[in-house]
Amino acid sequence: MATMKDVAKLAGVSTSTVSHVINKTRFVSDEIAERVNKAAKELNYYAPSALARSFKVNRTKTIGMLVTTSTNPFFGEVVKGVERHCYHKGYSLILCNTEGDHQRMHESINTLLQKRVDGLILVCASLEGERFDIFEHYADIPVVVMDWGPMLFTSDKIQDNSLRGGYMAAKHLIDSGHSDIGCITGPLERNQAKMRYNGYLEAMDEAGFIVNPSWVVEADFECEGGYNAFIQLHEKGKLPSALVVANDMMAMGVINAANELGIQIPEQLSIIGYDDIHIAKFISPSLTTIHQPKYRLGQAAVEALLKRLDAPDTFPQVIELEPTLVERKSVRKLGLVG
């Protein structure tokens, strides 16, 4: 029976190169990969199955990821970052959606752990403040949580600086000449929404502006929530000159409602969103927003998980990525033409 050493000799490469080609654990040029695959075929060499390798090295080269189903493409863009980085590192990704079902969330975590994934990435708002006894039985499985609040289990955490982002959004409107500024928040029991709202309040306080409570409406991070929030805001009477909207999906709902009501954006109402989802630059008017590094969030989650696998006893880390402002067409600079 041919061995990896035999394949390496025939292909004129090292055994480590043969391993990288067969297991897809590192980039190898097409020319070398072709030589290795040709030699393996000639020698009838068959690599050990993924399952057999997993028993030998005690790893399955798979990562489990749990995501709350949402119409928000933000999650898809994060998953893309996770999946691509898994591929480059030679890992497979098993993705589970909770569909907003609490029981399904627990069952999905249990299923992923039973499949012997090497680690878990959790992107699920309903996890916040949740205790999972099952993790005590899988203490050697590293967990990375993305972007939510305090956890009652040990995990590394990847998050954007939502407080800074909310501040930047309101500050941009203030710097554009606005003082009557409202806010459509996400659900304030969630850490992200609360921090973005606190950032808005901080910028308003710093500028010496009073927040009109009638211009603050809590919504649900979805398009329909933004639409309904703006209708509610409009029914209260006088509108602010500008709105901080806590994510782009709600901002699109606001723009839709404003158009139906004959309110021109940005001429009569300026809007700034949050997330910078791909579609934000293609709506009309194109949306000024706070950019979250979604691909980098996914990449950082995988890197943190692999680092934890190599150094399981290190103290849990919090990795915070900084937001940036993306200026487009939905904010009017007062005192200027256009």
Side-chain angles (χ1 to χ4, degrees), residues 2-9 14-20 22-23 45 47-48:
T3 66
M4 188 177 290
K5 187 175 181 180
D6 296 326
V7 176
K9 184 177 180 180
S14 67
T15 54
S16 64
T17 298
V18 174
S19 176
H20 287 309
I22 291 172
N23 297 315
Y45 172 77

Side-chain angles (χ1 to χ4, degrees), residues 86-98:
C86 281
Y87 173 77
H88 288 315
K89 293 295 184 179
Y91 276 75
S92 298
L93 180 68
I94 302 176
L95 181 65
C96 293
N97 290 327
T98 69

Side-chain angles (χ1 to χ4, degrees), residues 56-243:
K56 183 177 180 181
V57 302
N58 200 30
R59 291 192 187 178
T60 60
K61 301 291 282 187
T62 58
I63 289 175
M65 185 173 185
L66 188 70
V67 181
T68 300
T69 300
S70 170
T71 57
N72 191 344
F74 166 84
F75 293 103
E77 294 177 35
V78 171
V79 171
K80 181 179 179 180
V82 170
E83 189 171 33
R84 185 171 296 179
H85 204 58
C86 281
Y87 173 77
H88 288 315
K89 293 295 184 179
Y91 276 75
S92 298
L93 180 68
I94 302 176
L95 181 65
C96 293
N97 290 327
T98 69
E99 305 249 347
D101 187 311
H102 191 266
Q103 180 62 30
R104 183 167 174 176
M105 175 184 67
H106 280 263
E107 291 176 357
S108 294
I109 290 174
N110 186 55
T111 297
L112 289 170
L113 291 173
Q114 288 181 356
K115 286 185 177 294
R116 299 183 67 247
V117 294
D118 292 336
L120 286 174
I121 297 173
L122 307 179
V123 191
C124 187
S126 53
L127 285 169
E128 191 168 334
E130 185 88 10
R131 182 178 297 280
F132 288 86
D133 294 334
I134 191 170
F135 288 144
E136 296 178 8
H137 301 289
Y138 293 88
D140 58 331
I141 302 294
V143 178
V144 172
V145 176
M146 293 183 64
D147 239 2
W148 305 110
M151 298 294 132
L152 299 182
F153 52 88
T154 301
S155 68
D156 293 312
K157 187 175 179 182
I158 314 293
Q159 62 185 22
D160 84 303
N161 190 340
S162 288
L163 179 67
R164 173 67 179 165
Y167 172 88
M168 289 171 64
K171 185 70 163 56
H172 178 65
L173 296 177
I174 292 167
D175 290 344
S176 297
H178 297 273
S179 56
D180 294 341
I181 302 172
C183 184
I184 294 179
T185 77
L188 292 176
E189 75 273 8
R190 295 191 193 175
N191 188 61
Q192 279 180 313
K194 184 178 180 181
M195 290 299 100
R196 292 175 192 178
Y197 178 53
N198 286 345
Y200 154 80
L201 293 176
E202 183 179 314
M204 293 291 283
D205 181 67
E206 180 182 270
F209 297 150
I210 296 174
V211 173
N212 184 339
S214 297
W215 290 343
V216 177
V217 181
E218 184 177 354
D220 63 0
F221 276 148
E222 302 291 344
C223 283
E224 187 173 358
Y227 178 95
N228 292 333
F230 186 73
I231 296 297
Q232 181 181 341
L233 198 64
H234 183 262
E235 289 174 349
K236 291 182 179 180
K238 180 187 174 184
L239 289 171
S241 67
L243 276 176

Side-chain angles (χ1 to χ4, degrees), residues 272 276 287-291 324-328:
I272 185 168
D276 191 27
L287 186 64
T288 293
T289 185
I290 301 299
H291 173 80
T324 54
L325 173 70
V326 178
E327 294 188 60
R328 295 195 180 104

